[in-house]
């Protein structure tokens, strides 16, 4: 497990969270991270298209 996730899990366990609560929270955290990565990829694609259009001398 990545050190960051391990630290989060350790804090949750120390705070008295159950295994189920920890797992649900980690799934939500991973889902949010996946969504962020998808959105970042979309933005990168749009920037690449805009750069290519500018180099080609086309208006945005």
């Amino acid at each position: 497990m990545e050190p960051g996730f391990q630290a989060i899990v350790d804090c949750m366990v120390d705070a008295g969270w159950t295994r189920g609560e920890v797992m649900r929270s980690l799934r939500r955290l991973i889902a949010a991270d996946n969504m962020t990565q998808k959105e970042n990829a979309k933005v990168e694609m749009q920037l690449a298209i805009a750069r290519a259009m500018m180099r080609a001398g086309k208006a945005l």
Side-chain angles (χ1 to χ4, degrees):
M1 188 181 293
E2 291 187 28
F5 281 126
Q6 186 62 54
I8 292 169
V9 170
D10 290 343
C11 289
M12 295 166 110
V13 170
D14 290 346
W17 289 41
T18 67
R19 185 173 193 273
E21 290 171 325
V22 170
M23 294 306 292
R24 274 191 301 280
S25 293
L26 286 176
R27 278 194 290 273
R28 289 179 182 153
L29 181 60
I30 291 166
D33 182 59
N34 289 339
M35 183 60 83
T36 300
Q37 288 181 20
K38 286 180 187 177
E39 291 301 317
N40 286 345
K42 288 178 189 177
V43 169
E44 289 295 326
M45 179 188 63
Q46 291 169 345
L47 286 172
I49 291 169
R51 288 185 196 114
M53 290 176 71
M54 289 174 65
R55 287 187 190 134
K58 301 195 181 215
L60 296 176

